[in-house]
Amino acid sequence: MTGLTALRLGGDRISVRVRRRACVVAAVLAAALAVAAFGSLAFTGELSPADVLRTLAGHGDRSDEFLLYRLAVPRLLCAVLVGVALGASGAVFQNLTRNPLGSPDLIGFTSGSAAGAVFVLTVLGGGMAAIAGGALAGGLATGAVVYGLTVRRQARGYQLVLVGIAVNAMLQVLTHFLLTRANLESAMAAQVWLTGSLNGRGWEHVWPALAAVAVLLPLLAAFGSRLAVLELGDDAATALGVRPATARLGALAVGVALAAAATATAGPISFVALAAPQLARRLTREPGTGAGTAALTGALILVAGDALARQAFPAELPTGVATAAVGGVYLGWLLSRRWRAGKR
């Protein structure tokens, strides 16, 4: 079940190798995501399952169409796109660091995006487009700093994670400093945004996130084969025609941009980028972390987490609070497992 299958396209001119188990897992994840998406529409809002089906079929009244297409569907699509971006970004960083703790929300990239967005919101007073630009600029700047401190010094594994954690801590201090210097209205708006929430997301949030994912995922696929070659070591990769520094820099830029796009859309959503690649890796039983299955897993986690945040508590919680609560337990389990493995 874990073997490779060659798909031939255009006769014998193009041959693509695919892993059968990974394809099956991706299909199952896509089906589970579809079920979770329908459940999010039908069981967490003011519409019943029958109302949702009737409205999707084009037979709903105007109030049902408003609730579904103006409120519920944009929020659902934002959850899917943000989950896809975080899952794929987490796969990039875990492959680059060769470490399960290599997640953009632990090694500073999400905090860099958050700091950039908070700077625009509290100091410049920018709107949604400016906040998104600030998040992207902050994430890319953080990526450049971490790249300069680690890759050029040939740091690997835990060194990358430790440097990223240090940068993450400094960026959180910067964010809190910006909040203390802002006026009350801007500080309150920034604090709400920093919790990470999908509440109030509309079509104006969907289109930029969709454009970012549509552009960045194909770029990530182009770097995927090069990252796989890097698993053989830099010398072997160079002998096979891959430039290690260029491949790492390109993958890093795409991963940072994905994390920044997700942060700009929904604020800093914790632990999805950490857990999704690890869960996908266990499902596919592959030595590396595939970005495709990680993206689907991230979307499933975030859609389910958003539904849980709305239904499982007396008052609706921000999605970031729910994922942080569950992710904290997962991080503790992962650290204890790594510690036990190191003791053997």
Side-chain angles (χ1 to χ4, degrees):
M1 192 65 181
T2 59
L4 294 172
T5 298
L7 296 180
R8 301 187 182 279
L9 306 174
D12 292 332
R13 289 177 297 179
I14 302 176
S15 179
V16 180
R17 295 186 305 168
V18 296
R19 295 184 180 274
R20 294 194 297 273
R21 183 179 180 88
C23 291
V24 172
V25 169
V28 172
L29 287 172
L33 178 59
V35 173
F38 178 77
S40 177
L41 294 174
F43 297 102
T44 58
E46 299 180 9
L47 298 177
S48 68
D51 292 334
V52 171
L53 290 174
R54 185 173 59 254
T55 306
L56 290 175
H59 303 298
D61 55 36
R62 289 187 176 181
S63 62
D64 290 345
E65 290 179 352
F66 176 82
L67 290 173
L68 185 66
Y69 294 121
R70 296 283 298 188
L71 301 179
V73 170
R75 177 170 182 157
L76 171 64
L77 291 178
C78 282
V80 171
L81 292 169
V82 170
V84 164
L86 290 176
S89 178
V92 170
F93 291 118
Q94 290 184 17
N95 282 329
L96 283 175
T97 61
R98 301 179 187 178
N99 192 308
L101 296 178
S103 171
D105 50 354
L106 290 182
I107 59 178
F109 301 114
T110 299
S111 294
S113 298
V118 169
F119 177 81
V120 171
L121 183 62
T122 59
V123 178
L124 303 180
M128 185 190 70
I131 291 172
L136 180 60
L140 291 175
T142 305
V145 171
V146 173
Y147 179 82
L149 292 175
T150 57
V151 176
R152 293 180 181 178
R153 290 174 172 79
Q154 303 299 315
R156 298 291 184 271
Y158 278 108
Q159 292 175 310
L160 290 171
V161 175
L162 291 175
V163 170
I165 290 174
V167 172
N168 184 46
M170 290 187 289
L171 288 169
Q172 288 183 352
V173 171
L174 174 61
T175 300
H176 290 308
F177 173 76
L178 291 172
L179 290 176
T180 61
R181 304 296 295 177
N183 59 59
L184 181 60
E185 182 179 355
S186 297
M188 291 179 63
Q191 191 59 52
V192 171
W193 184 85
L194 284 171
T195 59
S197 176
L198 293 167
N199 188 34
R201 294 304 180 266
W203 291 107
E204 68 274 14
H205 300 91
V206 172
W207 300 123
L210 179 60
V213 169
V215 170
L216 294 171
L217 285 187
L219 291 177
L220 181 57
F223 284 104
S225 59
R226 300 180 186 181
L227 291 178
V229 174
L230 290 180
E231 295 290 332
L232 302 175
D234 287 2
D235 293 337
T238 302
L240 293 172
V242 175
R243 296 180 179 179
T246 303
R248 289 193 181 96
L249 180 59
L252 178 68
V254 174
V256 170
L258 283 167
T263 305
T265 301
I269 302 290
S270 302
F271 292 107
V272 174
L274 172 71
Q278 289 297 306
L279 294 174
R281 183 176 181 177
R282 283 171 170 77
L283 290 172
T284 58
R285 298 178 185 174
E286 293 184 359
T289 303
T293 51
L296 287 172
T297 305
L300 178 59
I301 290 174
L302 197 52
V303 169
D306 184 46
L308 180 67
R310 284 185 282 171
Q311 290 294 105
F313 303 95
E316 179 179 336
L317 291 180
T319 308
V321 174
T323 59
V326 176
V329 176
Y330 175 79
L331 179 60
W333 172 82
L334 182 60
L335 290 173
S336 65
R337 185 173 180 269
R338 300 284 292 184
W339 179 79
R340 289 195 301 268
K343 295 280 287 183
R344 294 173 184 171

